[in-house]
Every structure is written in structure tokens, then in C-alpha cells.
Amino acid sequence: PMGAVRELAHVRNVEADLDECLGDDAAALPRWQKSAEALEAASIAHEAAWCRLREGRVLARLGRPDDARERLEAAREALARLALPAFCAEAEAWLGSLPGGDVLRARQALEKHQGAITPQAWAAAAQAIGVATADAALLGQARQRLEALIEAAPEACRASMRDLPVHARILEG
């Protein structure tokens, strides 16, 4: 059954990623929650922590900072125990974007692990901090990072990548 739990979680995760890309965080949230719960019950700690990170990110965007903080702190602690520093840095960045968050610590985490965090995840986290702090320079860096990712894609994909709500939010800053 552990394999079945993992496979079902992967399907939910793909659906949640698609929901987020299309700008439907409300639909993504229960998928991340169900995946995390199932993976925790099956003791698949690293994947469960990653799902909690994604859940926290969605909660932050949905304007639920207390819930986001709870999930992100739990994810950061689990990811630290599992020695996954890039994901810890991503959690740290999203925590820094929340009201009362440690912005300096968040920016340092992003800077230190920028090569290990995917460009899209880095841009989304940087954009969240930039919006929370009205930091035009950081918003510009987020746009540049995403633009580079889009420009590296096949030409036929670029327009649709720019039109994705998750990317449009970053590109519009």
C-alpha cells in the first residue's frame, strides 16, 4: 500500500500544481492537504514535508497568514531534519512574506540557495516577499528570473507560459 499511497499523492500533486498554474489556489489547497496527510500516515516524511510547504504557499496567497505560518514552520522543521536545505530556504522565504515575518532571514535564505531552488519557485517566493515589503528591486529580480526561464523554453511554448496566471502574477509584479 505504501506505493499506492505515494502514487495517489503524486497524482494529487500534479493536479494541485496545475490548479496553481491556472490561478486556482482554492482548488489546489485540499489536494496538497490530502497528499500531505496520506504521506504522513504512510511515514513518507520528505514528500509529506514538501506537500506542507506547498500547502503553506497556497495558504499565504489565499490570505490566511496564520494557517500559512503553521504549515510553513512545520515544513521548514521537517525539511531541516531531513537535510533538504533548498526546500527549507523556500519555506523560509514564504514565512518572510507573511505579516511579521523575518524578511532579512527570508532574503538571505533565497540568496544562499538560489542555485538549488527551481527558477519558478524562487521567482514566486521572491515575488511574495517583494509584494509584502514593496521591494521593487526584488520584484524586478523575480521577473528577470522568470523571464530567463521562459526565454529558455521552446519558442512555441513562450506565449502560453507568460499567460499562465501563476507566471502573470510574477511578471506583473
Side-chain angles (χ1 to χ4, degrees):
M2 186 184 327
V5 169
R6 178 178 269 147
E7 292 306 315
L8 182 56
H10 288 179
V11 170
R12 278 193 201 111
N13 296 350
V14 169
E15 292 170 340
D17 272 334
L18 182 58
D19 290 336
E20 284 190 69
C21 284
L22 297 175
D24 193 352
D25 288 332
L29 180 61
R31 296 183 200 280
W32 289 126
Q33 289 169 328
K34 288 178 184 176
S35 286
E37 290 165 2
L39 292 162
E40 287 165 350
S43 298
I44 306 173
H46 64 289
E47 291 182 32
W50 183 81
C51 289
R52 291 295 183 203
L53 167 59
R54 297 302 187 250
E55 181 185 357
R57 174 179 75 184
V58 168
L59 286 163
R61 285 199 305 255
L62 288 172
R64 295 174 51 188
D66 293 336
D67 293 330
R69 185 173 288 104
E70 179 184 319
R71 298 322 185 287
L72 291 165
E73 287 174 348
R76 179 185 59 193
E77 291 169 16
L79 293 162
R81 280 192 308 275
L82 294 163
L84 296 168
F87 291 123
C88 287
E90 190 178 344
E92 197 68 62
W94 281 97
L95 283 163
S97 77
L98 299 174
D102 188 338
V103 175
L104 179 60
R105 185 173 171 175
R107 289 188 67 148
Q108 289 171 339
L110 272 182
E111 185 176 319
K112 181 177 180 181
H113 297 285
Q114 65 181 317
I117 299 172
T118 67
Q120 197 281 333
W122 190 96
Q127 189 260 353
I129 296 168
V131 167
T133 61
D135 184 334
L138 189 57
L139 290 169
Q141 290 174 348
R143 280 192 298 277
Q144 288 174 347
R145 180 76 56 102
L146 185 58
E147 279 291 348
L149 176 69
I150 292 169
E151 287 304 312
E155 189 172 342
C157 299
R158 293 178 191 156
S160 62
M161 288 177 73
R162 281 188 183 86
D163 290 341
L164 284 173
V166 70
H167 291 165
R169 180 173 39 235
I170 295 166
L171 295 171
E172 294 165 4

